[in-house]
Amino acid sequence: MRYGTARAAGLLIGFVADRILGDPRQGHPVALFGTVAGAAESRWYRDDRARGVVCEAVLVGGVVGLGVLAERTARVGSRRGPRGHRNRSGAGLGTVVVTGAATWVALGGTTLARTGLQMANLLEAADVAGAREVLPSLCGRDPELLDADGLARAAVESIAENTSDATVAPLVWGAIAGVPGVLGYRAINTLDAMIGYRNERYRHFGWAAARTDDLANLLPARVSGALTVAVAPVLGGRPAAAWRAWRRDARSHPSPNAGVAEATMAGALGVTLGGRTQYRHGIELRPVLGDGRVPAVSDLRRAVRLSTAVQVGAVLLAAGTAYARGRWNRRRGGDS
């Protein structure tokens, strides 16, 4: 099996594992990384950018290094047949396994969809208190200040952003850089969630984490936006409306990436997102994205359906890209 084919198969298998199993129930590698990152912050924290840059470089670099080691070990092992003879199958089963495992632990699309549907069920049952308990699983807003409509809007916006962050981005980086790309991206995104805030504690120390995450998501966010435009008809939306919201509204969002994801979803759903947003670190007045009414509970279910369709499109695109890159490298005489 050629390397590009093995990488593509691994991405597909990891995606299917996430759809069937969801996140690992115990010993999640992302949680372990978070523990290590928390210890590093406690040891290295100082309110300046240099310390934050060192923390980011060491933690992300360590994870990328582990990814490189795992991928190279798998490739070398796959090339050795019985008694050490060279295996003509190329990258082989080892690459499929490590790519699939890395993709599974890095993806969060199934958990995102399940949490969104749980929110919808609670809001439909008028259980606002229960919905407030679930919201922190989706985003960092203060749920105690939100009514049912506010909770629905927060959930839709979070599903839009996390569809890109939790599924499209790992797959894009997996297609580009294999296991190191998948794991490195997840480390970057996790650090941004931990220290990439604009509050007093992390204004300087978290600067590197926030900026690195912005850079890592520039391409994936636009892939996610394009897929959202393409699959809008799945839920009765209009691609033209999603495209118009992207072109008109995304640039006004404070995030260069979340604006694309949220604007295209607003356009596809035919709703308005944005406005006054309460986070734990303070209030932000977000620009209005899209046209129409504010999101209702039914729109939350539609957002989950749209997210699922984007995820499927993303894994097919990523696997196709990995396979095509492998063939291109082989034609050029490189390792495929």
Side-chain angles (χ1 to χ4, degrees):
M1 185 184 297
R2 298 290 184 178
Y3 183 49
T5 304
R7 180 179 284 181
L11 292 171
L12 289 167
I13 289 171
F15 180 83
V16 171
D18 177 63
R19 299 307 303 176
I20 295 173
L21 303 173
D23 288 333
R25 295 181 180 273
Q26 294 181 341
H28 198 306
V30 175
L32 176 61
F33 174 78
T35 300
V36 173
E41 179 194 348
S42 299
R43 184 177 181 85
W44 296 338
Y45 176 80
R46 183 181 294 170
D47 189 25
D48 65 53
R49 288 187 178 184
R51 284 294 184 99
V53 169
V54 170
C55 183
E56 181 82 6
V58 170
L59 291 172
V60 174
V63 171
V64 171
L66 288 174
V68 170
L69 178 62
E71 194 168 75
R72 287 184 176 177
T73 301
R75 294 179 71 180
V76 170
S78 296
R79 288 170 176 168
R80 296 292 180 183
R83 300 180 182 178
H85 295 299
R86 185 174 179 85
N87 184 349
R88 294 187 178 183
S89 64
L93 182 60
T95 297
V96 175
V97 171
V98 297
T99 303
T103 303
W104 173 42
V105 301
L107 294 178
T110 295
T111 298
L112 176 66
R114 289 174 180 172
T115 306
L117 291 177
Q118 183 183 7
M119 280 284 293
N121 291 335
L122 291 168
L123 290 174
E124 285 176 346
D127 187 357
V128 175
R132 285 172 176 161
E133 292 180 2
V134 172
L135 186 66
S137 299
L138 288 172
C139 61
R141 303 183 193 183
D142 188 344
E144 297 304 319
L145 300 178
L146 300 176
D147 58 11
D149 290 340
L151 290 165
R153 183 199 123 196
V156 170
E157 291 175 352
S158 180
I159 288 170
E161 182 174 1
N162 283 299
T163 296
S164 177
D165 291 354
T167 300
V168 177
L171 291 169
V172 167
W173 283 109
I176 293 172
V179 174
V182 172
L183 297 183
Y185 171 78
R186 181 47 63 204
I188 289 169
N189 191 245
T190 301
L191 282 173
D192 178 61
M194 293 179 66
I195 64 175
Y197 294 103
R198 297 189 180 119
N199 57 18
E200 288 304 315
R201 177 173 175 81
Y202 297 122
R203 188 177 305 277
H204 300 294
F205 184 77
W207 174 84
R211 298 291 78 77
T212 304
D213 185 73
D214 285 343
L215 289 172
N217 278 294
L218 279 175
L219 175 60
R222 281 139 190 86
V223 172
S224 183
L227 289 170
T228 301
V229 172
V231 303
V234 168
L235 45 85
R238 294 184 297 114
W243 173 250
R244 182 171 61 251
W246 180 354
R247 293 296 302 272
R248 185 191 64 199
D249 301 332
R251 71 188 68 180
S252 61
H253 196 283
S255 167
N257 303 313
V260 175
E262 293 181 22
T264 51
M265 181 163 282
L269 295 175
V271 299
T272 297
L273 300 176
R276 188 178 186 273
T277 304
Q278 178 73 48
Y279 291 96
R280 291 189 177 88
H281 62 269
I283 297 174
E284 295 185 16
L285 296 177
R286 294 292 180 87
V288 175
L289 308 174
D291 300 297
R293 52 185 171 74
V294 297
V297 178
S298 60
D299 297 309
L300 181 50
R301 292 191 180 279
R302 294 171 66 221
V304 171
R305 287 172 53 202
L306 181 60
S307 172
T308 301
V310 170
Q311 292 176 41
V312 172
V315 72
L316 294 176
L317 179 62
T321 300
Y323 176 75
R325 290 184 71 237
R327 287 182 60 86
W328 172 256
N329 288 337
R330 189 164 74 250
R331 288 175 180 175
R332 295 181 62 189
D335 188 4
S336 59

